Amino acid sequence: MDGITLVTLLEDLLDAAVASIGVTAPARQFVAHGSNALDCEHVSVEIVDASVSPIDPAMCAGIDTITFAVEVVRCYIAATGDNPIPAASGIGADSYTIAFDLGALMGGLGDRWEAGTLFPSLPALDCGQVQIIGAQPVGPECGYAGWRLTVTVQP
């Protein structure tokens, strides 16, 4: 594993995430380092873990494993001093948008994974080297909420 490969994986995954969400994707789209502040809508990709797992300790051979997080965050109705109890209709509308994002990410990334095109810059990667593990909710916090999807790659 080298730096160019890592950057390429980050860029390919961000491109795939944005394309999966489509025209409704948040305008802020970036590669991040560490957790993002929940201060505006965004789509981001970051490395959350990198390791080498031994295949055969006697031969000092191992497999690189990189774990990425794909995050999509949206505005989410929040309590304010003027509005201490948000309307159920606002919560529902925002929740539908966030649910759409998760479905679009899971569907779009999953389709690319099955087709072997999730990482087009590294066509030698096959679907057995990539896992889309699961999604965790982000927030709601400070008027924002979304999803964080974990993708593991063994290049």
Side-chain angles (χ1 to χ4, degrees):
M1 173 66 60
D2 59 39
I4 292 171
T5 302
L6 264 174
V7 169
T8 300
L9 290 169
L10 285 162
E11 291 172 346
D12 281 352
L13 192 52
L14 179 61
D15 290 346
V18 170
S20 295
I21 298 168
V23 296
T24 63
R28 291 190 69 209
Q29 305 162 2
F30 54 90
V31 170
H33 177 78
S35 298
N36 299 302
L38 296 182
D39 58 1
C40 63
E41 294 191 341
H42 67 265
V43 178
S44 66
V45 175
E46 65 189 64
I47 298 169
V48 295
D49 186 58
S51 62
V52 178
S53 302
I55 301 173
D56 182 351
M59 297 180 64
C60 297
I63 297 175
D64 293 335
T65 302
I66 310 298
T67 303
F68 299 95
V70 178
E71 188 173 89
V72 59
V73 171
R74 300 286 188 166
C75 291
Y76 190 83
I77 194 164
T80 64
D82 297 337
N83 182 22
I85 302 175
S89 60
I91 293 170
D94 289 350
S95 295
Y96 289 136
T97 299
I98 293 166
F100 172 86
D101 288 340
L102 177 61
L105 274 178
M106 293 292 292
L109 297 181
D111 289 348
R112 287 169 176 77
W113 172 71
E114 289 173 1
T117 60
L118 184 55
F119 296 100
S121 300
L122 298 170
L125 279 178
D126 65 38
C127 63
Q129 294 169 279
V130 179
Q131 292 182 334
I132 300 173
I133 297 173
Q136 298 295 318
V138 174
E141 182 180 318
C142 302
Y144 295 93
W147 290 98
R148 187 176 176 87
L149 183 70
T150 303
V151 177
T152 300
V153 179
Q154 292 179 325

